[in-house]
Amino acid sequence: MSVVPSPLTLSETTAAVADERRRLADRAATLTEEQWRTPSLCPAWSVRDVIAHLTTTTRLSVPLLVREAIKARGSFDRMEINLAAARAQRYSTAELLEQLRQSADSTRRFPGSSPLDPLMDLVIHAQDIARPLQLSYSSPARVVTACLAHVAGNRFMGGPERAAGLHLISTDSPWTHGTGQPVHGPDLDLLLVLSGRPAGLAALSGPGVEVLRERLQPA
């Protein structure tokens, strides 16, 4: 059972994606080259790789995806890692930032994805960058809640598997999800945990936290 307060409309989602791209580009523009080389919360990616990945969303085509999937031997994760690494090496910092800004108003997205997927990607990856650098960065509360609700039901992201048997309760919005052992925490940290990032665990409380911690252990 879930309580999802005022879901975003399509127009609100589109506007939020544009805002997130511009804000993240502006924030990333203040980083030093050393910070751009810092490992992100994504084990295979530096901060630079994350930004490069975010520039691919509006630039992918089905033929390109087919070619890259073949190169990656059918592994979606390996394909994304390869695409980001190639762009990170090919383009300068200034070019990557300009590409992210140029894509702000585009509604193109990964084939087969939903309108909320690029927004979710931006909100989560912004934290992949900010937290290792110990930077304060946040997205609008309603946007974070919408992304949290999306990930909780997204099997591709692994949200339902991580949340199974738990009652997730937001401490900063009316959002709740599931039944079972309670877990309390801010929407942003719940979002990180449901998307597979242990960095969000420290802000959570309740008997279900240890269940989540175990589920986030490397296989």
Side-chain angles (χ1 to χ4, degrees), residues 24 31 35 38-51 53-54 120-135 137 157 188 191-193 195-200:
L24 184 55
L31 303 180
Q35 288 174 313
T38 301
S40 74
L41 292 185
C42 299
W45 284 345
S46 65
V47 167
R48 182 181 192 80
D49 293 327
V50 173
I51 294 294
H53 163 70
L54 291 172
M120 168 198 71
D121 215 31
L122 285 157
V123 172
I124 293 172
H125 283 317
Q127 296 305 308
D128 289 336
I129 291 170
R131 297 211 175 191
L133 296 176
Q134 298 183 334
L135 299 176
Y137 187 90
M157 292 290 293
L188 192 54
L191 174 61
L192 289 178
V193 169
S195 63
R197 287 141 172 92

Side-chain angles (χ1 to χ4, degrees), residues 13-120:
T13 300
T14 301
V17 167
D19 180 59
E20 290 296 314
R21 285 177 176 149
R22 292 192 180 98
R23 289 195 311 111
L24 184 55
D26 289 346
R27 190 67 181 90
T30 69
L31 303 180
T32 66
E33 281 303 313
E34 181 180 0
Q35 288 174 313
W36 275 72
R37 292 191 295 269
T38 301
S40 74
L41 292 185
C42 299
W45 284 345
S46 65
V47 167
R48 182 181 192 80
D49 293 327
V50 173
I51 294 294
H53 163 70
L54 291 172
T55 68
T56 66
T57 307
T58 61
R59 293 173 171 83
L60 293 174
S61 64
V62 172
L64 174 61
L65 285 174
V66 171
R67 288 199 304 272
E68 293 300 324
I70 292 171
K71 288 180 186 177
R73 300 187 297 279
S75 169
F76 181 84
D77 288 343
R78 190 181 299 119
M79 180 184 72
E80 285 205 315
I81 290 169
N82 293 344
L83 283 169
R87 294 188 69 82
Q89 292 175 7
R90 179 178 179 182
Y91 297 106
S92 69
T93 298
E95 287 172 327
L96 289 172
L97 291 172
E98 182 57 24
Q99 289 172 12
L100 189 55
R101 291 191 179 100
Q102 287 174 350
S103 68
D105 293 315
S106 174
T107 56
R108 287 189 63 186
R109 58 181 187 268
F110 194 91
S113 64
S114 77
L116 264 171
D117 284 321
L119 182 58
M120 168 198 71

